[in-house]
Amino acid sequence: MEQYPHFYTLSERRYSCRGYSDRPVTRDLIMATIDAVRLAPSACNRQPWKFLVIDTPELRHAIQKSYDREWFNSAPVYVVALGLHDEAWHRPFDGKDHTDVDVSIAVEHFCLAATTLGLGTCWVCNFDPAVLVEALSLPEGVEPIAIIPVGYPLDGEAIPVKKRKALDEIVKWGKY
């Protein structure tokens, strides 16, 4: 889009990477990426999240047990996005807990920042949460929301063509 070319290009370049090289990702680079999470908006600025960085062989193996896919095992780093339900804003009219909404915004900030640094990421939500709770010693009220594998994409990995609905399929004006 001509109105916001940099952001549009970044949005096109961010994709679900499922192939990682063995090139290490420095902790400084991970911290630079997580710094974008601090800037993410959240309901009433509660920021009900923690991000666990998993880069040791022992913990990487434990994370891999929660989601057994070959491509997933190739990532050198995992970031586990945790939701803190007791810290989240709850809508007063019906009690709706906004933890998942807030954490999702923060995770996408992370993924977009990683893309600008040449890193690949992928949202993984199809994992066994009980395995993560045990492996990471998570206390009650702290929920694993997503695992984000992080690493440099394999050489030659192409950004896939995005298959998205047309604008007129997702936008309505006025009443539904």
Side-chain angles (χ1 to χ4, degrees):
M1 283 286 166
E2 294 175 17
Q3 296 88 344
Y4 49 92
H6 299 296
F7 181 74
Y8 197 84
T9 299
L10 176 59
S11 297
E12 285 182 320
R13 287 183 43 228
R14 202 225 59 78
Y15 70 100
S16 296
C17 180
R18 291 188 175 90
Y20 300 93
S21 77
D22 58 4
R23 181 178 168 193
V25 179
T26 66
R27 287 186 170 196
D28 286 344
L29 205 54
I30 294 295
M31 290 302 289
T33 306
I34 292 177
D35 195 36
V37 170
R38 291 183 328 98
L39 304 176
S42 62
C44 295
N45 198 32
R46 297 283 181 89
Q47 303 168 57
W49 54 63
K50 293 274 188 212
F51 283 68
L52 292 181
V53 180
I54 310 300
D55 63 353
T56 64
E58 178 186 336
L59 283 177
R60 285 181 69 255
H61 183 67
I63 298 301
Q64 292 165 356
K65 289 180 182 177
S66 75
Y67 181 70
D68 187 24
R69 303 293 189 282
E70 187 174 332
W71 70 266
F72 182 74
N73 295 341
S74 70
V77 177
Y78 301 107
V79 174
V80 181
L82 303 172
L84 311 176
H85 291 279
D86 293 342
E87 295 182 23
W89 179 74
H90 294 77
R91 187 168 47 209
F93 299 101
D94 61 1
K96 178 177 175 34
D97 177 347
H98 274 69
T99 303
D100 285 2
V101 173
D102 291 344
V103 173
S104 294
I105 295 167
V107 168
E108 192 56 15
H109 270 57
F110 177 88
C111 291
L112 290 170
T115 300
T116 68
L117 297 172
L119 297 171
T121 60
C122 184
W123 284 67
V124 175
C125 296
N126 183 23
F127 57 84
D128 184 340
V131 171
L132 291 186
V133 167
E134 182 178 334
L136 301 174
S137 302
L138 301 180
E140 191 168 327
V142 176
E143 178 189 9
I145 304 290
I147 305 170
I148 305 105
V150 184
Y152 291 97
L154 283 173
D155 286 338
E157 174 144 314
I159 298 172
V161 174
K162 293 187 184 248
K163 298 173 186 168
R164 299 295 189 260
K165 292 180 180 180
L167 280 174
D168 63 353
E169 292 181 82
I170 64 169
V171 176
K172 289 193 173 289
W173 296 87
K175 293 184 178 184
Y176 196 89

